[in-house]
Amino acid sequence: MLKRILGSYSQGKRGPLLICSTGLHGNEWAGVNAMELLLQILEDELVTNPTFTFHGKLVAIAGNLPALNVKKRYINCDLNRIWSQRNFDNPGNEAEFGEMMKLKEVIDDLILEWGGEDVYLLDLHTTTAKGGIFSLPTTEVESIKIAETMHAPIILGLVEKLNGTMIKYYAGRTDAHITALVFEAGQHDDNLSINRAIAAVINCMRTIGAVAADDIENRFDQLLIDYSRDLPKMANFLYGHHIAPDDHFVMKPGYLNFDRICKNEVLANDRYGEIISKYEGMILMPHYQTQGDDGFFIIKEVESHQII
Ligand SMILES: [Zn+2]
């Protein structure tokens, strides 16, 4: 039986608190597996590297436990779209509202214990379509700085666009300083997604000063570097297609993340007819699953930090 706190690592030295959340979507097990392996890698490091020093604390947590148990994105509703003060004050009866309140209590306690400063929240996900390796920072400089070390395309503006996500809530907290971002490690069932998630967390631990660059061999980092070679370094969010209930949305088959699309290209169909792209750009997270109401996103490559 999966526990809410998958594990933690600390040597009792001062430093940042890094909370890695996994499985907010129950069909995304790669993050869970990655954190269990990484915690073991950290435990083993001292055996071969007696001078290994870890500053601060790493805590790995699991999100939607009932959905993870049945490997579904969610039971009643998307746990990563309901984080709001209104829902905390008056949570619904759906399974995910209970999960949100339990998750929030665990994370809030960790933040409080750390004094609300030097706190980082890295939310690990995977995608249905292949090729989905990217990071989603907030507009905060520190968040973008961490994303830049993850050797994966950085998508700007999507965190701001999506309402009710966990990291948007925590990044917006005014009573604590929390640097938050999302890392998408690849396709749900691709075993390499586990390795890429491990590599991203190690890079994050280095950037925030938890571990020195020489410690913990990051043997999976080359996977990220190789995979991202032909992908844009940075892209701006342009458009998101929302699926309403009974839309009968069907994505055209065969799209991969970062596939280039033309203006006026037919991307999908629903009960109103063809859904045509208003933009030239690249496709992100095309909807090839039965659950969820994000149809697809369109992004545009940028040369520098042009946040829209
Ligand atoms: Zn997800």
PDB file of all heavy atoms in Angstrom, residues 23-28 73 78 80-81 123-127 182 184 188 285, ligand 1:
ATOM      1  N   GLY A  23       2.560  11.559  -8.717  1.00  0.00           N
ATOM      2  CA  GLY A  23       1.259  10.893  -8.781  1.00  0.00           C
ATOM      3  C   GLY A  23       0.059  11.768  -8.458  1.00  0.00           C
ATOM      4  O   GLY A  23      -0.936  11.259  -7.939  1.00  0.00           O
ATOM      5  N   LEU A  24       0.129  13.069  -8.748  1.00  0.00           N
ATOM      6  CA  LEU A  24      -1.099  13.866  -8.620  1.00  0.00           C
ATOM      7  C   LEU A  24      -2.134  13.320  -9.591  1.00  0.00           C
ATOM      8  O   LEU A  24      -3.337  13.439  -9.376  1.00  0.00           O
ATOM      9  CB  LEU A  24      -0.829  15.351  -8.885  1.00  0.00           C
ATOM     10  CG  LEU A  24      -0.785  16.192  -7.606  1.00  0.00           C
ATOM     11  CD1 LEU A  24       0.490  15.910  -6.847  1.00  0.00           C
ATOM     12  CD2 LEU A  24      -0.938  17.674  -7.868  1.00  0.00           C
ATOM     13  N   HIS A  25      -1.625  12.752 -10.689  1.00  0.00           N
ATOM     14  CA  HIS A  25      -2.473  11.974 -11.597  1.00  0.00           C
ATOM     15  C   HIS A  25      -2.121  10.495 -11.395  1.00  0.00           C
ATOM     16  O   HIS A  25      -0.952  10.120 -11.484  1.00  0.00           O
ATOM     17  CB  HIS A  25      -2.228  12.411 -13.048  1.00  0.00           C
ATOM     18  CG  HIS A  25      -2.616  13.847 -13.284  1.00  0.00           C
ATOM     19  ND1 HIS A  25      -1.775  14.754 -13.886  1.00  0.00           N
ATOM     20  CD2 HIS A  25      -3.757  14.509 -12.954  1.00  0.00           C
ATOM     21  CE1 HIS A  25      -2.404  15.932 -13.931  1.00  0.00           C
ATOM     22  NE2 HIS A  25      -3.599  15.810 -13.377  1.00  0.00           N
ATOM     23  N   GLY A  26      -3.153   9.688 -11.128  1.00  0.00           N
ATOM     24  CA  GLY A  26      -2.912   8.318 -10.693  1.00  0.00           C
ATOM     25  C   GLY A  26      -2.363   7.370 -11.739  1.00  0.00           C
ATOM     26  O   GLY A  26      -1.915   6.269 -11.407  1.00  0.00           O
ATOM     27  N   ASN A  27      -2.390   7.790 -13.017  1.00  0.00           N
ATOM     28  CA  ASN A  27      -1.790   6.941 -14.059  1.00  0.00           C
ATOM     29  C   ASN A  27      -0.325   7.326 -14.321  1.00  0.00           C
ATOM     30  O   ASN A  27       0.277   6.874 -15.275  1.00  0.00           O
ATOM     31  CB  ASN A  27      -2.603   7.038 -15.366  1.00  0.00           C
ATOM     32  CG  ASN A  27      -2.761   8.471 -15.859  1.00  0.00           C
ATOM     33  OD1 ASN A  27      -2.576   9.411 -15.091  1.00  0.00           O
ATOM     34  ND2 ASN A  27      -3.096   8.635 -17.117  1.00  0.00           N
ATOM     35  N   GLU A  28       0.233   8.172 -13.462  1.00  0.00           N
ATOM     36  CA  GLU A  28       1.597   8.641 -13.665  1.00  0.00           C
ATOM     37  C   GLU A  28       2.499   8.101 -12.549  1.00  0.00           C
ATOM     38  O   GLU A  28       2.824   8.790 -11.584  1.00  0.00           O
ATOM     39  CB  GLU A  28       1.607  10.177 -13.719  1.00  0.00           C
ATOM     40  CG  GLU A  28       0.719  10.694 -14.857  1.00  0.00           C
ATOM     41  CD  GLU A  28       0.639  12.216 -14.935  1.00  0.00           C
ATOM     42  OE1 GLU A  28       1.433  12.909 -14.280  1.00  0.00           O
ATOM     43  OE2 GLU A  28      -0.238  12.698 -15.673  1.00  0.00           O
ATOM     44  N   ARG A  73      -6.145   8.344 -14.098  1.00  0.00           N
ATOM     45  CA  ARG A  73      -5.774   9.758 -13.918  1.00  0.00           C
ATOM     46  C   ARG A  73      -6.444  10.329 -12.666  1.00  0.00           C
ATOM     47  O   ARG A  73      -5.833  11.020 -11.886  1.00  0.00           O
ATOM     48  CB  ARG A  73      -6.165  10.557 -15.157  1.00  0.00           C
ATOM     49  CG  ARG A  73      -5.748  12.025 -15.124  1.00  0.00           C
ATOM     50  CD  ARG A  73      -6.032  12.698 -16.457  1.00  0.00           C
ATOM     51  NE  ARG A  73      -5.873  14.136 -16.407  1.00  0.00           N
ATOM     52  CZ  ARG A  73      -4.728  14.779 -16.668  1.00  0.00           C
ATOM     53  NH1 ARG A  73      -3.635  14.104 -16.957  1.00  0.00           N
ATOM     54  NH2 ARG A  73      -4.662  16.093 -16.631  1.00  0.00           N
ATOM     55  N   ASP A  78     -10.090  15.957 -11.545  1.00  0.00           N
ATOM     56  CA  ASP A  78      -8.636  16.126 -11.649  1.00  0.00           C
ATOM     57  C   ASP A  78      -8.081  16.808 -10.390  1.00  0.00           C
ATOM     58  O   ASP A  78      -8.384  17.983 -10.130  1.00  0.00           O
ATOM     59  CB  ASP A  78      -8.339  16.963 -12.903  1.00  0.00           C
ATOM     60  CG  ASP A  78      -6.869  16.967 -13.270  1.00  0.00           C
ATOM     61  OD1 ASP A  78      -6.029  16.864 -12.355  1.00  0.00           O
ATOM     62  OD2 ASP A  78      -6.566  17.072 -14.468  1.00  0.00           O
ATOM     63  N   ASN A  80      -5.305  17.961  -9.833  1.00  0.00           N
ATOM     64  CA  ASN A  80      -4.417  19.088 -10.110  1.00  0.00           C
ATOM     65  C   ASN A  80      -5.131  20.255 -10.790  1.00  0.00           C
ATOM     66  O   ASN A  80      -4.519  21.035 -11.504  1.00  0.00           O
ATOM     67  CB  ASN A  80      -3.228  18.624 -10.965  1.00  0.00           C
ATOM     68  CG  ASN A  80      -2.027  19.523 -10.781  1.00  0.00           C
ATOM     69  OD1 ASN A  80      -1.870  20.180  -9.737  1.00  0.00           O
ATOM     70  ND2 ASN A  80      -1.171  19.582 -11.798  1.00  0.00           N
ATOM     71  N   ARG A  81      -6.452  20.363 -10.576  1.00  0.00           N
ATOM     72  CA  ARG A  81      -7.203  21.502 -11.116  1.00  0.00           C
ATOM     73  C   ARG A  81      -8.169  22.096 -10.089  1.00  0.00           C
ATOM     74  O   ARG A  81      -9.021  22.900 -10.434  1.00  0.00           O
ATOM     75  CB  ARG A  81      -8.029  21.073 -12.351  1.00  0.00           C
ATOM     76  CG  ARG A  81      -7.228  20.599 -13.545  1.00  0.00           C
ATOM     77  CD  ARG A  81      -6.459  21.706 -14.255  1.00  0.00           C
ATOM     78  NE  ARG A  81      -5.810  21.199 -15.451  1.00  0.00           N
ATOM     79  CZ  ARG A  81      -4.654  20.539 -15.472  1.00  0.00           C
ATOM     80  NH1 ARG A  81      -3.982  20.338 -14.338  1.00  0.00           N
ATOM     81  NH2 ARG A  81      -4.149  20.100 -16.606  1.00  0.00           N
ATOM     82  N   ASP A 123       7.039  19.305  -8.876  1.00  0.00           N
ATOM     83  CA  ASP A 123       5.905  18.403  -9.112  1.00  0.00           C
ATOM     84  C   ASP A 123       6.202  17.563 -10.360  1.00  0.00           C
ATOM     85  O   ASP A 123       6.338  18.110 -11.458  1.00  0.00           O
ATOM     86  CB  ASP A 123       4.641  19.259  -9.291  1.00  0.00           C
ATOM     87  CG  ASP A 123       3.381  18.424  -9.315  1.00  0.00           C
ATOM     88  OD1 ASP A 123       3.409  17.297  -8.784  1.00  0.00           O
ATOM     89  OD2 ASP A 123       2.370  18.904  -9.864  1.00  0.00           O
ATOM     90  N   LEU A 124       6.295  16.251 -10.180  1.00  0.00           N
ATOM     91  CA  LEU A 124       6.688  15.361 -11.285  1.00  0.00           C
ATOM     92  C   LEU A 124       5.468  14.765 -11.982  1.00  0.00           C
ATOM     93  O   LEU A 124       4.564  14.249 -11.327  1.00  0.00           O
ATOM     94  CB  LEU A 124       7.567  14.220 -10.747  1.00  0.00           C
ATOM     95  CG  LEU A 124       8.888  14.642 -10.098  1.00  0.00           C
ATOM     96  CD1 LEU A 124       9.565  13.438  -9.443  1.00  0.00           C
ATOM     97  CD2 LEU A 124       9.821  15.295 -11.106  1.00  0.00           C
ATOM     98  N   HIS A 125       5.489  14.853 -13.301  1.00  0.00           N
ATOM     99  CA  HIS A 125       4.386  14.316 -14.116  1.00  0.00           C
ATOM    100  C   HIS A 125       4.926  13.553 -15.317  1.00  0.00           C
ATOM    101  O   HIS A 125       6.117  13.623 -15.628  1.00  0.00           O
ATOM    102  CB  HIS A 125       3.501  15.457 -14.641  1.00  0.00           C
ATOM    103  CG  HIS A 125       2.633  16.078 -13.602  1.00  0.00           C
ATOM    104  ND1 HIS A 125       1.305  15.783 -13.474  1.00  0.00           N
ATOM    105  CD2 HIS A 125       2.926  16.974 -12.633  1.00  0.00           C
ATOM    106  CE1 HIS A 125       0.803  16.478 -12.460  1.00  0.00           C
ATOM    107  NE2 HIS A 125       1.765  17.214 -11.938  1.00  0.00           N
ATOM    108  N   THR A 126       4.008  12.865 -16.029  1.00  0.00           N
ATOM    109  CA  THR A 126       4.311  12.270 -17.338  1.00  0.00           C
ATOM    110  C   THR A 126       3.118  12.539 -18.252  1.00  0.00           C
ATOM    111  O   THR A 126       2.067  12.967 -17.786  1.00  0.00           O
ATOM    112  CB  THR A 126       4.567  10.745 -17.226  1.00  0.00           C
ATOM    113  OG1 THR A 126       3.532  10.165 -16.427  1.00  0.00           O
ATOM    114  CG2 THR A 126       5.921  10.442 -16.629  1.00  0.00           C
ATOM    115  N   THR A 127       3.298  12.290 -19.545  1.00  0.00           N
ATOM    116  CA  THR A 127       2.235  12.613 -20.509  1.00  0.00           C
ATOM    117  C   THR A 127       1.752  11.357 -21.241  1.00  0.00           C
ATOM    118  O   THR A 127       2.455  10.348 -21.300  1.00  0.00           O
ATOM    119  CB  THR A 127       2.726  13.623 -21.572  1.00  0.00           C
ATOM    120  OG1 THR A 127       3.770  13.014 -22.327  1.00  0.00           O
ATOM    121  CG2 THR A 127       3.245  14.890 -20.944  1.00  0.00           C
ATOM    122  N   VAL A 182       7.033  22.428 -12.438  1.00  0.00           N
ATOM    123  CA  VAL A 182       6.615  21.090 -12.855  1.00  0.00           C
ATOM    124  C   VAL A 182       7.684  20.524 -13.775  1.00  0.00           C
ATOM    125  O   VAL A 182       8.241  21.248 -14.598  1.00  0.00           O
ATOM    126  CB  VAL A 182       5.268  21.154 -13.628  1.00  0.00           C
ATOM    127  CG1 VAL A 182       4.965  19.833 -14.318  1.00  0.00           C
ATOM    128  CG2 VAL A 182       4.129  21.551 -12.711  1.00  0.00           C
ATOM    129  N   GLU A 184       7.872  17.405 -16.568  1.00  0.00           N
ATOM    130  CA  GLU A 184       7.193  16.319 -17.291  1.00  0.00           C
ATOM    131  C   GLU A 184       8.289  15.409 -17.846  1.00  0.00           C
ATOM    132  O   GLU A 184       9.118  15.841 -18.643  1.00  0.00           O
ATOM    133  CB  GLU A 184       6.347  16.886 -18.444  1.00  0.00           C
ATOM    134  CG  GLU A 184       5.223  17.809 -17.994  1.00  0.00           C
ATOM    135  CD  GLU A 184       3.913  17.070 -17.696  1.00  0.00           C
ATOM    136  OE1 GLU A 184       3.857  15.844 -17.897  1.00  0.00           O
ATOM    137  OE2 GLU A 184       2.951  17.736 -17.254  1.00  0.00           O
ATOM    138  N   HIS A 188       3.917   8.120 -20.019  1.00  0.00           N
ATOM    139  CA  HIS A 188       3.584   7.443 -18.749  1.00  0.00           C
ATOM    140  C   HIS A 188       4.307   6.107 -18.553  1.00  0.00           C
ATOM    141  O   HIS A 188       4.839   5.833 -17.480  1.00  0.00           O
ATOM    142  CB  HIS A 188       2.080   7.119 -18.675  1.00  0.00           C
ATOM    143  CG  HIS A 188       1.163   8.290 -18.753  1.00  0.00           C
ATOM    144  ND1 HIS A 188       1.415   9.488 -18.126  1.00  0.00           N
ATOM    145  CD2 HIS A 188      -0.033   8.441 -19.383  1.00  0.00           C
ATOM    146  CE1 HIS A 188       0.403  10.318 -18.368  1.00  0.00           C
ATOM    147  NE2 HIS A 188      -0.475   9.712 -19.129  1.00  0.00           N
ATOM    148  N   MET A 285       0.971  18.145 -25.343  1.00  0.00           N
ATOM    149  CA  MET A 285      -0.012  17.359 -24.602  1.00  0.00           C
ATOM    150  C   MET A 285      -1.319  17.123 -25.367  1.00  0.00           C
ATOM    151  O   MET A 285      -2.410  17.450 -24.885  1.00  0.00           O
ATOM    152  CB  MET A 285      -0.285  17.995 -23.233  1.00  0.00           C
ATOM    153  CG  MET A 285       0.919  17.897 -22.324  1.00  0.00           C
ATOM    154  SD  MET A 285       0.554  18.309 -20.616  1.00  0.00           S
ATOM    155  CE  MET A 285       0.872  20.055 -20.588  1.00  0.00           C
TER     156      MET A 285
HETATM  157 ZN    ZN B   1       0.069  14.767 -14.764  1.00  0.00          ZN
END
